[in-house]
Amino acid sequence: MPRTYKKKKPTASAADMESAVRAVIEKGQSIRSSAQEHGLKKSNLANYVKEAKRLGVDNVKYEPNFRKSQVFNNDMEKALEEYLLMASAMFYGLTPHSFRRLAYEFASKNDVQVPVSWETTRCAGPDWLTGFMKRHERLSIRTPEATSLARMTSFNRTTVGEFMDKLESVKGRYFFTPDKIFNLDETGVTTVQRVPKVIGKKGLHQIGQVTSRERGELVTNVGIIGASGRALPLICVFPRLRFDEKRMMRGVPPNTSLGLVHKSGWMTASNFVEVLKYFVTHVCCTKESPVLLILDNHESHLSVEGLEYCKENGIVLLTLPPHTSNKLQPLDRSVFGPFKSFVSQAMNAWLMDHPG
């Protein structure tokens, strides 16, 4: 059976409220019929009509008053706002329910008079939270990204400062120009696209969308982009034991992208040496004309064979500090997200154009 939902009554605007009040006072319409006509609550309209008769229709503010349910004074609310922002910046943000409990405890410690319902539940009410969020526009309820403790503690002024000092030192020693500076990183792309939002029947519990399989395989894509804006063709590591160029690289122009294989589809030290050879072929670096390659310190990047190859072919490696790639890696920050979105869109469009 499809799940049914109770239709939510739309929130009336200030213009609707003013129009309803004028209909009652200037046209003699009843409060009940005017409220029904404009989609308002009768009790709310009655309060505004009473206010308009006392002050005049043109002197009433018809916007909702979010300070009506305010429990704390402005200084206390400012302190709560600053605490929420600080907790979020430290990766320990409060959930709405946790913050409501904190608000009750804050009121109890400061002898602030609270509604009876707060005392019963030992928690601030949801209506108070709604008003609080409306009063403080810097706040919003967000879905956080899971961040490990290692990432949280590694990105600090000292660690980043040391990396920046090393970068300046390397640039000063070799006089690298933007066309000689490159960034490398890997990302996993699944063979089953992320399904997009689609238009369907309202109220249905579940809506399906066609994909190639229920569960996809992971293909590692290696991206290399230069400070001058030059991007090298993608390198793909397929989850296979044997490389079938005709099937795996179908549609790829010859001598452009590189295809590699590993049983898990992950990057390995031996495959990374092949990536370095591919990189040298495209950028034509030598000991006399070196280039700078910035990458993370994954173990596959730091093998003896790989480091020796870099020394012999003029590749200067500079690794990012551990657990900071989510903040310092340019490809992570600006390229891979849109790339995966466009790949999913292309896969979904192909399946829609080739049914069955």
Side-chain angles (χ1 to χ4, degrees), residues 268-274 276 295 297-311 317:
T268 61
S270 58
N271 275 338
F272 188 69
V273 174
E274 297 300 320
L276 292 173
L295 68 173
N297 57 358
H298 189 267
E299 60 180 359
S300 63
H301 300 163
L302 304 176
S303 66
V304 174
E305 184 182 359
L307 294 177
E308 288 293 333
Y309 184 85
C310 290
K311 289 180 181 179
L317 295 180

Side-chain angles (χ1 to χ4, degrees), residues 190-192 212-218:
T190 178
T191 55
V192 173
S212 58
R213 297 170 63 182
E214 293 290 336
R215 185 175 179 179
E217 295 181 82
L218 194 70

Side-chain angles (χ1 to χ4, degrees), residues 86-103:
M86 181 180 65
S88 176
M90 295 169 61
F91 301 92
Y92 285 95
L94 275 68
T95 64
H97 185 71
S98 298
F99 176 58
R100 286 165 52 198
R101 286 189 299 174
L102 175 67

Side-chain angles (χ1 to χ4, degrees), residues 131-192:
F132 181 87
M133 299 296 293
K134 293 286 186 181
R135 291 190 292 273
H136 300 275
E137 297 181 353
R138 291 197 296 168
L139 301 175
S140 64
I141 298 175
R142 305 283 300 275
T143 301
E145 180 181 352
T147 306
S148 68
L149 186 63
R151 286 190 183 275
M152 184 191 74
T153 55
S154 296
F155 187 77
N156 54 64
R157 185 183 297 273
T158 303
T159 303
V160 176
E162 290 178 357
F163 170 75
M164 292 300 178
D165 291 341
K166 291 178 182 177
L167 177 61
E168 289 298 324
S169 174
V170 169
K171 288 172 61 180
R173 191 187 316 161
Y174 293 95
F175 303 102
F176 289 121
T177 53
D179 60 310
K180 297 290 186 180
I181 301 175
F182 292 87
N183 176 226
L184 178 148
D185 195 25
E186 295 105 349
T187 188
V189 178
T190 178
T191 55
V192 173

Side-chain angles (χ1 to χ4, degrees), residues 2 5 23 36 57 66 91 96 115 157 165 167 180 184 199 203 237 275 283 331 334 356:
Y5 297 91
Q36 290 177 348
V57 178
F66 294 113
F91 301 92
R157 185 183 297 273
D165 291 341
L167 177 61
K180 297 290 186 180
L184 178 148
I199 301 173
V237 183
V275 171
V283 302
L331 284 163
S334 57

Side-chain angles (χ1 to χ4, degrees), residues 117-137:
S117 59
W118 288 30
E119 297 288 356
T120 304
T121 61
R122 305 187 68 80
C123 180
D127 292 339
W128 173 85
L129 177 61
T130 301
F132 181 87
M133 299 296 293
K134 293 286 186 181
R135 291 190 292 273
H136 300 275
E137 297 181 353

